[in-house]
């Protein structure tokens, strides 16, 4: 009999339910743990995990209660949202996704895991894998953007980074892929709102990142708050039990979201909390985060025959299995003991350097009318706006252990980078308030400057959970400030801090340059200065489409064709009468200080079978005197399929570094398998027929090169016969 079997045989029902109970410690790092309400519950074996607690001393004290003052000495699991860094704060995931670099995605997760493990954390509630195509939804900031392929590769990289090669290693933490499933499709972009999508959309768009996370060995999954087709995800047996566990083969722990089990009666699917507990447990949710419903109400559910003891035992087994995989039974203090191999000072410098590198690379140059990089002979710059000198806002949402005081502001970064330039500053207005502020004084500063850097956007708490925005433009009086600054007549570089695309077409049209800096974390100011001065040539590309106006939402590159495609000359076509149908900026958009052209797209052969690996080549030329790095995207469109296919489906991308005036031929590999679509039974099939292949620097169809390939019917060739 193994350890887990022995424990299960000894455990009382109360102790079993304790293992399914995740309580919150309220970040008690600076307070005595004996005064915390969780203390006695831990001693009584009624708590199996704690969240919102980190720090060696605090976690060691709680762990000591569990392993030295309880009957069974089962160690606690410490969890926290390590979403984009821990002590070191990296750019928000939506910004990091714009690197289109899985190796870097993995490196930042690894660095965060090392820091979090050193602080006693064993479980992170990350990566967030919700595909999001509605920027009104605040949690778009936390995920990989709008595309399922990007989401899938992001999932794999983050799971590898957090968990390392061995989950029991002292620098590894367990990853929790969230929020399963389709939370990004909430109606009207409202947080916690209902979702109603077709099964095809669910499987083609929202499930692929979770499939990838499972295949990468993700230790845990968190269901979403929302309902899907009327069934809350916390009790959604068809998706959790049948799809996630049976179809995808996930055998790890499922942990509810914060208080989600207690909210099932609010959804209207449970008459009382005993029913809620039973529904969640039967659907496959193993651990109850914060609500306490499992511990309080599963005994009644058991007595009423709503669940069986075997259901409880199965959940407990999965919780204990995760603790065993993490090495907690071998060494409960593995992260927090004095002899731990991990020490925060040893990892601080590499993490800081990585954060600076990623921050530079995440910045996206959206427009540039010749004012960037900043001219070397500039002598007077006015830095204007409420986000120019706001260190805490640079962190963005879910930076729990981050310290705003450590962040370099945009103003500080510019002053450090341009010591011989006179830089004046005025906030002008607050970021949120509706007071007039000092707009006139800010305008006066602009009139005396050669160039203005306008720093506007959102505050950190305007993105993330419970931060939906019906009108995601510039909040407060920031537009009035921007209008005044633009009216002065001095060239304006608009620097936008945000966790989502903002509706700022008017600013894009009038500013001399527009730069999306997102929330960049600790190194924000230096990163912005490096890009604006040209010390770093911007490489960030949009992982999400930017609409012109709210009325275009949802808008994304992988839309299906309308019956009557938009045609300005045709009155009865799919168009707006008051707005172009095209977005402000397409998926993949991003400028640099170089000028790169693509030409001569060709395939090694134009016909293929399902098991073939298609090779395409394209000539890439840097026509400028500036070295650069480009991201080249490959899209496909099935011209005639059994179900209408998106006009552009991202299938691959390549990154290429080019010296000044360099020309290179870039090869793009396209597995024919990736051109499969789901049939009526939602099984992948390659249907014979023609495919258009598009290659370009973004999803802007006007700038894409294209070639046509044909899928052939017939038996797949043997391994040795696959054509290239």
């Amino acid at each position: 009999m193994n350890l887990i079997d022995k424990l299960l045989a000894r455990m009382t029902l109360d102790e079993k339910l304790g293992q399914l109970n995740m309580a919150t410690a309220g970040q008690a790092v600076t307070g005595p743990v004996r005064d915390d309400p969780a203390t006695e519950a831990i001693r009584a074996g009624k708590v199996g995990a704690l969240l919102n607690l980190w720090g060696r001393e605090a976690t060691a004290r709680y762990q000591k209660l569990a392993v030295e003052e309880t009957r069974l000495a089962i160690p606690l699991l410490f969890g926290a949202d390590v979403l984009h860094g821990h002590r070191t704060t990296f750019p928000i995931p939506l910004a990091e996704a714009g690197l289109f670099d899985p190796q870097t995605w993995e490196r930042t997760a690894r660095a965060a895991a090392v820091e979090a493990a050193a602080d006693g954390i064993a479980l992170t509630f990350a990566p967030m894998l919700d595909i999001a195509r509605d920027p009104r939804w605040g949690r778009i900031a936390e995920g990989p953007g709008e595309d399922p392929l990007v989401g899938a590769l992001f999932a794999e990289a983050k799971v590898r980074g957090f968990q390392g090669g061995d989950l029991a290693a002292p620098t590894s933490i367990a990853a929790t892929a969230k929020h399963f499933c389709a939370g990004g499709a909430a109606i009207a972009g409202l947080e916690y709102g209902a979702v109603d999508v077709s099964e095809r959309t669910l499987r083609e768009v929202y499930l692929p990142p979770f499939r990838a996370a499972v295949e990468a060995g993700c230790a845990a999954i968190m269901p979403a708050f929302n309902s899907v087709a009327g069934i809350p995800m916390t009790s959604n047996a068809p998706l959790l039990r049948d799809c996630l566990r049976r179809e995808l083969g996930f055998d790890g722990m499922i942990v509810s979201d914060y208080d989600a089990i207690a909210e099932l009666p609010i959804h209207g699917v449970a008459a009382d909390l005993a029913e809620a507990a039973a529904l969640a447990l039967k659907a496959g949710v193993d651990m109850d985060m914060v609500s306490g419903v499992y511990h309080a109400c599963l005994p009644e559910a058991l007595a009423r025959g709503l669940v069986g003891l075997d259901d409880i035992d199965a959940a407990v087994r999965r919780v204990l299995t995760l603790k065993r995989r993490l090495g907690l039974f071998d060494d409960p203090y593995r992260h927090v003991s004095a002899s731990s191999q991990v020490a925060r000072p040893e990892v601080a410098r590499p993490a800081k350097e990585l954060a600076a590198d990623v921050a530079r690379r995440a910045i996206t140059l959206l427009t540039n009318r010749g004012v960037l990089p900043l001219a070397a002979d500039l002598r007077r710059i006015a830095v204007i706006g409420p986000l120019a000198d706001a260190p805490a806002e640079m962190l963005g949402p879910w930076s729990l252990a981050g310290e705003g005081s450590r962040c370099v502001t945009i103003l500080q970064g510019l002053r450090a980078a341009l010591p011989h330039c006179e830089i004046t500053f005025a906030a002008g207005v607050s970021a949120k308030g509706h007071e007039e502020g000092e707009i006139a004084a800010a305008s006066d500063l602009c009139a005396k400057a050669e160039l203005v850097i306008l720093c506007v956007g959102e505050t950190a708490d305007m993105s993330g959970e419970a931060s939906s925005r019906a009108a995601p433009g510039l909040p407060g009086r920031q537009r009035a400030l921007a209008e005044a600054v633009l009216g002065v007549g001095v060239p304006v570089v608009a620097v936008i801090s945000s966790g989502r695309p903002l509706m700022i077409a008017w600013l894009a049209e009038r500013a001399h340059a527009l730069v999306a800096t997102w929330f960049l974390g600790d190194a924000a100011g230096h990163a912005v200065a490096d890009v604006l001065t040209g010390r770093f040539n911007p490489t960030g590309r949009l992982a999400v489409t930017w609409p012109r106006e709210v009325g275009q939402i949802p808008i994304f590159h992988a839309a299906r064709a309308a019956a009557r495609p938009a045609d300005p000359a045709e009155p009865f076509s799919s168009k707006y009468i008051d707005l172009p149908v095209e977005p402000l900026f397409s998926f993949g958009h991003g400028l640099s200080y170089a000028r790169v052209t693509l030409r001569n797209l060709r395939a090694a052969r134009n016909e293929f079978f399902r098991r073939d690996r298609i090779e395409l080549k394209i000539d890439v030329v840097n026509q400028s005197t500036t070295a650069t790095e480009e991201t080249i995207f490959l899209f496909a469109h099935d011209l005639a399929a059994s179900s209408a296919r998106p006009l552009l489906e991202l299938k691959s991308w390549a990154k290429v570094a080019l010296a000044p005036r360099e020309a290179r031929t870039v090869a793009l590999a396209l597995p024919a398998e990736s051109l499969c679509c789901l049939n009526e039974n939602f099984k992948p099939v390659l249907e014979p027929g023609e495919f258009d292949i598009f290659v370009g620097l973004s999803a802007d169809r006007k700038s894409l090169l294209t070639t046509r390939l044909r899928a052939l019917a017939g038996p797949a060739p043997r391994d040795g016969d696959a054509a290239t």
Side-chain angles (χ1 to χ4, degrees):
M1 185 180 291
N2 63 31
L3 171 65
I4 294 174
D5 289 333
K6 291 177 181 177
L7 282 172
L8 278 168
R10 295 179 59 201
M11 294 171 79
T12 65
L13 176 61
D14 197 52
E15 288 169 328
K16 289 177 180 179
L17 299 182
Q19 287 303 303
L20 308 185
N21 183 29
M22 175 179 282
T24 178
Q27 181 51 305
V29 174
T30 58
V33 296
R34 64 179 179 276
D35 294 332
D36 192 278
T39 300
E40 290 309 314
I42 293 170
R43 282 198 180 102
K46 296 180 178 180
V47 174
L50 285 177
L51 79 158
N52 292 341
L53 184 82
W54 56 86
R56 290 189 179 194
E57 183 178 348
T59 52
R61 287 175 179 173
Y62 275 112
Q63 195 68 286
K64 184 175 182 180
L65 290 175
V67 300
E68 297 182 23
E69 299 187 38
T70 65
R71 189 176 74 92
L72 297 175
I74 299 174
L76 292 170
L77 189 62
F78 294 100
D81 290 272
V82 183
L83 203 71
H84 54 107
H86 183 59
R87 298 284 180 176
T88 302
T89 305
F90 296 98
I92 58 171
L94 183 60
E96 193 185 358
L99 274 65
F100 289 92
D101 185 352
Q103 287 187 329
T104 299
W105 298 339
E106 182 176 347
R107 289 179 65 205
T108 57
R110 182 91 292 270
V114 170
E115 289 189 348
D119 253 353
I121 295 170
L123 173 70
T124 175
F125 307 119
M128 200 283 259
L129 302 177
D130 293 312
I131 298 302
R133 295 169 169 182
D134 188 336
R136 294 173 298 181
W137 190 57
R139 304 197 82 163
I140 192 172
E142 304 173 29
E146 71 181 47
D147 189 84
L149 175 62
V150 177
L153 296 179
F154 190 85
E156 293 173 357
K158 290 300 181 184
V159 170
R160 288 195 304 266
F162 285 131
Q163 298 189 170
D166 178 9
L167 201 54
T171 58
S172 293
I173 60 176
T176 305
K178 66 180 188 184
H179 306 87
F180 190 88
C181 175
I187 294 171
L190 276 172
E191 180 69 17
Y192 317 118
V195 169
D196 200 352
V197 297
S198 69
E199 185 170 358
R200 179 170 297 279
T201 298
L202 193 72
R203 289 180 172 274
E204 291 182 349
V205 177
Y206 297 104
L207 279 177
F210 291 95
R211 181 187 296 273
V214 171
E215 291 175 352
C218 185
I221 299 282
M222 178 184 290
F225 281 116
N226 57 272
S227 61
V228 173
I231 305 177
M233 280 308 311
T234 306
S235 63
N236 200 316
L239 282 173
L240 292 179
R241 185 188 62 212
D242 300 338
C243 177
L244 179 60
R245 289 216 185 274
R246 294 175 183 168
E247 182 181 334
L248 301 187
F250 178 67
D251 61 358
M253 184 182 78
I254 297 179
V255 55
S256 83
D257 211 331
Y258 200 107
D259 207 38
I261 297 176
E263 294 165 2
L264 289 176
I266 301 173
H267 281 281
V269 298
D272 55 33
L273 291 179
E275 281 191 12
L279 284 172
L281 188 70
K282 295 289 281 187
V285 177
D286 303 310
M287 183 167 279
D288 170 12
M289 182 187 287
V290 173
S291 80
V293 170
Y294 271 6
H295 195 272
C297 301
L298 275 178
E300 180 183 345
L302 189 63
R304 287 161 55 180
L306 301 177
V307 297
L309 191 57
D310 56 338
D311 298 315
I312 295 172
D313 285 351
V316 175
R317 182 179 295 277
R318 284 188 285 264
V319 172
L320 295 178
T321 297
L322 177 56
K323 292 182 178 184
R324 179 182 56 77
R325 290 184 62 202
L326 284 163
L328 293 175
F329 286 110
D330 296 325
D331 181 7
Y333 304 100
R334 70 187 185 98
H335 289 151
V336 297
S337 65
S339 61
S340 172
Q341 300 175 34
V342 183
R344 194 178 310 126
E346 297 174 12
V347 300
R349 180 176 293 277
K352 186 176 181 180
E353 293 171 353
L354 179 60
D357 177 60
V358 178
R360 283 191 298 265
R361 295 169 64 196
I363 294 171
T364 311
L365 179 59
L366 298 174
T367 67
N368 185 17
R369 297 179 176 88
V371 296
L372 293 179
L374 298 176
D377 59 353
L378 274 175
R379 290 295 175 262
R380 295 186 307 280
I381 295 175
V383 178
I384 305 296
L387 296 175
D389 197 30
E393 308 302 348
M394 301 297 100
L395 290 176
W398 289 118
S399 52
L400 299 187
E403 297 178 22
S405 60
R406 294 190 349 190
C407 286
V408 180
T409 70
I410 297 171
L411 179 64
Q412 290 169 338
L414 287 168
R415 283 179 169 164
L418 300 168
H420 303 299
C421 187
E422 178 187 343
I423 297 178
T424 56
F425 164 68
V429 298
S430 67
K432 294 181 179 179
H434 292 280
E435 70 282 357
E436 187 66 22
E438 299 180 353
I439 293 178
S443 298
D444 289 343
L445 282 184
C446 296
K448 300 172 185 175
E450 299 171 78
L451 179 133
V452 176
I453 297 176
L454 177 66
C455 303
V456 290
E458 298 181 314
T459 56
D461 62 358
M462 295 184 77
S463 294
E465 186 172 352
S467 295
S468 297
R469 296 186 63 203
L474 293 182
R477 296 281 295 161
Q478 291 186 78
R479 177 161 184 170
L481 173 66
E483 295 277 8
V485 168
L486 291 165
V488 171
V490 175
V492 174
V493 175
V495 175
I496 309 299
S497 299
S498 69
R500 52 161 61 86
L502 298 181
M503 310 303 109
I504 51 172
W506 59 273
L507 184 56
E509 292 166 3
R510 296 178 58 190
H512 289 72
L514 185 66
V515 185
T517 64
W518 313 100
F519 294 119
L520 294 174
D522 291 350
H526 291 318
V528 172
D530 284 348
V531 167
L532 296 188
T533 59
R535 295 178 183 178
F536 185 84
N537 188 15
T539 61
R541 303 296 180 256
L542 296 180
V544 63
T545 303
W546 278 49
R548 297 174 183 272
E549 297 289 349
V550 173
Q552 292 180 305
I553 297 171
I555 184 169
F556 48 93
H557 74 276
R560 288 177 167 81
R564 298 177 181 178
D567 182 354
E570 173 53 61
F572 298 98
S573 67
S574 183
K575 66 181 188 300
Y576 298 107
I577 63 173
D578 58 350
L579 196 72
V581 296
E582 293 82 15
L584 182 61
F585 301 113
S586 299
F587 171 90
H589 174 77
L591 305 178
S592 76
Y593 300 140
R595 188 173 66 259
V596 172
T597 59
L598 307 180
R599 58 192 180 210
N600 193 22
L601 174 64
R602 67 265 191 198
R605 54 177 294 174
N606 293 324
E607 295 181 331
F608 61 91
F609 291 99
R610 177 168 175 167
R611 293 177 63 184
D612 286 353
R613 182 177 177 274
I614 306 160
E615 184 178 271
L616 297 107
K617 292 183 178 180
I618 191 166
D619 297 332
V620 186
V621 182
N622 181 359
Q623 296 182 317
S624 72
T625 57
T626 301
T628 191
E629 178 186 88
E630 286 294 342
T631 304
I632 302 172
F633 299 96
L634 188 155
F635 304 93
H637 173 56
D638 189 341
L639 274 68
S642 55
S643 64
R645 304 306 304 149
L647 291 171
L648 290 178
E649 291 185 83
L650 182 65
K651 298 300 179 183
S652 180
W653 68 81
K655 298 183 77 70
V656 55
L658 296 167
R661 304 295 183 187
E662 182 181 6
R664 291 180 59 182
T665 296
V666 174
L668 294 158
L670 176 65
E673 189 83 22
S674 71
L675 297 175
C676 288
C677 64
L678 300 182
N679 64 14
E680 66 276 9
N681 297 315
F682 302 106
K683 303 298 181 185
V685 295
L686 180 64
E687 297 180 345
E690 293 183 320
F691 291 78
D692 278 342
I693 305 299
F694 302 91
V695 174
L697 300 179
S698 76
D700 180 3
R701 292 179 63 87
K702 299 187 296 295
S703 63
L704 293 171
L705 302 182
T706 183
T707 189
R708 184 161 291 181
L709 306 177
R710 177 181 291 276
L712 300 176
R718 297 184 301 274
D719 288 343
D721 298 333
T724 57

